[in-house]
Amino acid sequence: VTATMYLMNSIFLIKDAATNCPDPAACTVDVLNVLATFAYVAQYLSLVASDCPIEGNQRGACSSDIADIVGSAMSVVAVGIVLREDCTDHPNKTVEAMFSHLPR
């Protein structure tokens, strides 16, 4: 279920990346978020391989951990870019608009 949710989310992120790419910062954030989403899909699918068999699967657990590191690293970089934009006196309006639907 979670992997499906991340796959559906990736569709919206790819759409955002396509519309925000004239702005380099917004485009970078969108691309990093898409890559992080795919890494999290890989993580959850690896967890299926690891947790579903009765005897477990060590390689599935390992690949889940690696995918988690990759997704988290991509997310941290994306947040760093947005943080830089949000903490300036004159924030990038495109990046700001990407998150305008979220409560402040």
Side-chain angles (χ1 to χ4, degrees):
V1 172
T2 304
T4 304
M5 179 195 71
Y6 274 107
L7 280 173
M8 290 174 58
N9 188 42
S10 68
I11 293 169
F12 296 114
L13 291 171
I14 290 169
K15 179 190 154 290
D16 283 345
T19 58
N20 286 330
C21 271
D23 179 0
C27 184
T28 302
V29 169
D30 285 338
V31 170
L32 288 168
N33 284 331
V34 168
L35 294 175
T37 298
F38 286 133
Y40 292 133
V41 169
Q43 177 190 22
Y44 287 110
L45 294 177
S46 297
L47 287 171
V48 169
S50 169
D51 295 346
C52 286
I54 294 173
E55 67 278 353
N57 181 333
Q58 183 65 33
R59 289 185 177 171
C62 178
S63 65
S64 170
D65 293 341
I66 292 169
D68 189 23
I69 290 170
V70 170
S72 296
M74 297 289 178
S75 294
V76 165
V77 173
V79 168
I81 293 169
V82 172
L83 182 68
R84 182 187 69 207
E85 295 292 332
D86 286 347
C87 293
T88 63
D89 290 336
H90 307 286
N92 182 321
K93 297 298 181 192
T94 305
V95 175
E96 193 174 272
M98 288 170 38
F99 299 99
S100 63
H101 64 285
L102 298 176
R104 298 228 176 207

